[in-house]
Amino acid sequence: VQLQASGGGLVQAGGSLRLSCAPSGNIFSLDPMGWYRQAPGKERELVATITSGGSTNYADSVKGRFTISRDNAKNTVYLQMNSLKPEDTAVYYCKAKKRALNIKYQYDIWGQGTQVTVSS
């Protein structure tokens, strides 16, 4: 099972985009789910995460502009990005932790990434 991200594109500064990420097959107990991004020449960084209970965590650089949400029934996570800035330009990756009763069987699943480009 893979995570499939979509919704990226080219937008002008101040615009909005909504990213979606869903598993390609049946899989359960994905918790937390989140978004990361990697700009050219930079390391991958956390954007936002959300637990199945709805607890959220945001990078300081996106607080007040981005909103993460999820549909637990569909194991789908969303990222609403408003007031986009050129510095938000990056490849955005979704990630989920596959939970298991035995911690040694837990693992991370990454999506393939979707490009977000914000023009000035």
Side-chain angles (χ1 to χ4, degrees):
V1 177
Q2 298 178 330
L3 294 177
Q4 297 179 331
S6 61
L10 173 64
V11 65
Q12 289 187 332
S16 298
L17 284 174
R18 187 179 191 236
L19 306 182
S20 300
C21 177
S24 58
N26 288 326
I27 187 169
F28 304 97
S29 301
L30 298 179
D31 194 24
M33 302 184 76
W35 292 94
Y36 293 71
R37 67 186 181 186
Q38 188 167 19
K42 296 187 177 181
E43 294 189 353
R44 192 171 298 187
E45 64 177 3
L46 169 74
V47 176
T49 61
I50 185 168
T51 69
S52 58
S55 295
T56 57
N57 180 48
Y58 293 94
D60 288 343
S61 59
V62 307
K63 283 181 181 177
R65 300 188 298 122
F66 291 10
T67 302
I68 190 170
S69 61
R70 65 183 287 173
D71 182 332
N72 288 331
K74 298 179 180 180
N75 275 315
T76 299
V77 62
Y78 307 95
L79 187 68
Q80 178 65 43
M81 305 185 292
N82 298 329
S83 303
L84 282 161
K85 305 175 180 180
E87 50 264 43
D88 294 317
T89 295
V91 178
Y92 283 69
Y93 298 90
C94 57
K95 174 189 162 184
K97 180 175 288 295
K98 176 68 175 73
R99 294 290 183 180
L101 291 177
N102 189 328
I103 193 172
K104 70 178 182 180
Y105 295 122
Q106 296 182 161
Y107 57 92
D108 292 334
I109 307 173
W110 287 90
Q112 85 283 8
T114 183
Q115 177 70 46
V116 172
T117 303
V118 185
S119 63
S120 58

